[in-house]
Amino acid sequence: MKHLFLCLLFPFLGAAQPVITTMEVIKPYQEYDGRSSVSETVSVLQEFFKQAGVTVFATIDHQKAAEEVGETMPPATLLVVGNPKVGTPLMKERIMFAIELPLKILVYEENGGVRVHYRRAQAIAKRYALESGLTTAQRIDEAMEKLISNALSR
C-alpha cells in the first residue's frame, strides 16, 4: 500500500517542480543608484559613453515631452546608445534583433532617489535565440555594466 501511494504521488511531484526560464537564469536588467539628480546622472553617463567610444544616438527627456502636452511626471530620461561595429553582427544573425538596438538606458527619479536601469543585451539575445551572438551580447553587458558602474562611482 505504501508503495502504491508513492507510485501515485510521484507524477504529481514532477509537475510541482518550478519551470526555470531563460529570463530567470539571466537577470534581464541591472539597476544602479544614480547621482543627486537625473540631469547630473545623464550628463555623467553621456560623458563616459563618449570617452569609451559608445555613441549616444538619442537622449529623450520624457518629463519634458509630458510637459509639452500639459502632463506632469517625475524626471525620466532615456539614453539610446550603442556601437554599430558591435551591434551589426547581432542584427545580421537575426534581423529582428534590430528592433532592440541601439541599447536603452533609463535614468529616472523614484521615491526620492535617482535610479539607472540597463536592459542586458544577453537576456535580449536569448529571447531572439541568437547563437553566435550570445558571446557578443555577454561582452556588451560586461563592458556596459563596467562603464555605468565606473561613471556612477566617480
Side-chain angles (χ1 to χ4, degrees):
M1 185 68 169
K2 182 177 173 182
H3 294 296
L4 178 62
F5 177 73
L6 288 176
C7 288
L8 293 173
L9 182 61
F10 186 72
F12 294 107
L13 292 175
Q17 296 300 312
V19 176
I20 299 174
T21 66
T22 301
M23 297 313 246
E24 292 169 327
V25 174
I26 301 171
K27 185 178 171 186
Y29 61 89
Q30 180 65 42
E31 290 274 345
Y32 304 87
D33 289 325
R35 296 283 183 101
S36 61
S37 69
V38 168
S39 61
E40 179 188 355
T41 302
V42 167
S43 293
V44 167
L45 288 171
Q46 287 173 324
E47 183 60 34
F48 268 74
F49 290 142
K50 182 179 175 183
Q51 291 173 5
V54 176
T55 302
V56 177
F57 292 100
T59 302
I60 302 168
D61 184 337
H62 288 298
Q63 184 183 45
K64 181 179 176 185
E67 288 171 356
E68 290 174 1
V69 295
E71 295 288 338
T72 61
M73 67 175 284
T77 299
L78 185 71
L79 296 173
V80 182
V81 303
N83 181 330
K85 186 171 184 158
V86 178
T88 299
L90 299 172
M91 293 182 283
K92 286 172 67 176
E93 183 177 341
R94 180 99 54 243
I95 191 63
M96 292 306 294
F97 197 75
I99 200 163
E100 305 292 348
L101 294 177
L103 296 172
K104 294 145 195 85
I105 298 167
L106 179 64
V107 181
Y108 62 100
E109 187 177 287
E110 185 176 65
N111 299 325
V114 176
R115 302 289 295 158
V116 177
H117 182 95
Y118 166 67
R119 288 183 46 205
R120 288 192 169 117
Q122 189 177 7
I124 299 167
K126 281 272 195 189
R127 240 187 13 227
Y128 285 87
L130 295 187
E131 293 173 12
S132 61
L134 272 179
T135 303
T136 302
Q138 183 178 5
R139 288 196 311 265
I140 290 169
D141 288 340
E142 289 167 359
M144 289 298 288
E145 290 173 16
K146 183 177 180 182
L147 186 60
I148 293 169
S149 291
N150 287 342
L152 297 175
S153 67
R154 295 184 185 191

